[in-house]
Amino acid sequence: MGERGSSEGGGFLGILGNEGGCSLHDEARRLRHVVRRMVQALGIPGRDEVCCHGVTLAQCHVLVEVCEARGLSLSDLAERLRLDKSTVSRTVETLVGRDLLTRTSRREDRRCVAIEPTVSGEELCDVLRQEVEASYGRILSRIPEEKREMVLEAFELFLEAVADLPEKSSPETVCFPASKP
């Protein structure tokens, strides 16, 4: 890597335009490279690795989602996270055991439970959000102010495209193989 933030194909900001009329295959290769490098640069842990404050990345995602959309059912939570219900159920149970979430039967249907954060869960979620936002603020401060909106729009477009992919279990879904040590 030459200058700060550069990578193959013109750096992180270079992904925002089609430099030189590359083919879709070339662009896909470049995107794969940039996403992989971004995950490495951000130090994103594996789903089951403890990342901070004693929670795994998966637990962090569940906790934040529950804090942002209170009273979700297990099915709704699994759908929002694009994970299977049994995986989410195990993660919720761990967080209930740590007194970060509660499960309460709904009055209208006792078979269905609403998942809520506890006071401790809400406090941890606030700390996690503040720390992550501070980290992203440091990253954004390294991008020229006039380009920040363009970067955010590119990420939003990318997220929309990923969210439009078929469900994870579908054969058409892209495969993200685990990286080898």
Side-chain angles (χ1 to χ4, degrees), residues 1 4 11 17 21 37 48 50 53 63 69 86 88 94 111 120 122-123 127-128 133 142 145 149 153 162 167 178:
M1 288 183 53
R4 183 187 73 191
R37 295 297 310 244
D48 297 323
V50 173
H53 299 283
L63 182 62
S86 64
V88 174
T94 300
R111 296 169 295 169
S120 298
E122 190 70 58
E123 289 170 355
V127 168
L128 292 169
E133 287 170 12
R142 298 174 64 99
E145 192 171 346
E149 186 61 31
E153 286 177 14
V162 171
E167 286 301 315

Side-chain angles (χ1 to χ4, degrees), residues 160-176:
E160 285 176 28
V162 171
D164 285 344
L165 290 173
E167 286 301 315
K168 216 173 116 162
S169 59
S170 170
E172 298 98 17
T173 302
V174 66
C175 176
F176 293 103

Side-chain angles (χ1 to χ4, degrees), residues 14-178:
I15 69 168
L16 303 177
N18 185 346
E19 298 170 2
C22 296
S23 72
L24 183 59
H25 177 74
D26 292 337
E27 291 170 334
R29 179 181 300 126
R30 186 171 165 203
L31 179 62
R32 176 189 54 79
H33 176 78
V34 170
V35 169
R36 184 175 54 82
R37 295 297 310 244
M38 188 172 5
V39 168
Q40 291 170 342
L42 290 171
I44 297 173
R47 289 191 50 78
D48 297 323
E49 289 180 59
V50 173
C51 54
C52 54
H53 299 283
V55 295
T56 65
L57 186 60
Q59 292 167 352
C60 183
H61 286 300
V62 167
L63 182 62
V64 169
E65 199 66 42
V66 169
C67 287
E68 290 180 356
R70 296 171 174 276
L72 290 172
S73 69
L74 197 58
S75 296
D76 292 338
L77 182 57
E79 185 177 318
R80 288 173 77 113
L81 294 170
R82 293 182 65 132
L83 296 171
D84 62 86
K85 200 171 157 182
S86 64
T87 299
V88 174
S89 179
R90 286 190 301 274
T91 305
V92 166
E93 278 310 310
T94 300
L95 294 170
V96 167
R98 293 189 55 197
D99 194 35
L100 297 171
L101 295 180
T102 62
R103 299 176 104 179
T104 309
S105 294
R106 292 187 174 168
R107 275 186 253 160
E108 64 274 5
D109 183 353
R110 312 261 321 137
R111 296 169 295 169
C112 188
V113 297
I115 303 166
E116 299 277 349
T118 63
V119 171
S120 298
E122 190 70 58
E123 289 170 355
L124 177 57
C125 188
D126 287 342
V127 168
L128 292 169
R129 277 190 271 216
Q130 289 170 11
E131 289 178 1
V132 170
E133 287 170 12
S135 293
Y136 287 144
R138 287 190 299 276
I139 293 166
L140 282 171
S141 73
R142 298 174 64 99
I143 297 171
E145 192 171 346
E146 67 276 4
K147 301 231 179 190
R148 290 179 194 162
E149 186 61 31
M150 180 176 58
V151 170
L152 293 171
E153 286 177 14
F155 273 108
E156 288 167 348
L157 278 170
F158 182 74
L159 176 60
E160 285 176 28
V162 171
D164 285 344
L165 290 173
E167 286 301 315
K168 216 173 116 162
S169 59
S170 170
E172 298 98 17
T173 302
V174 66
C175 176
F176 293 103

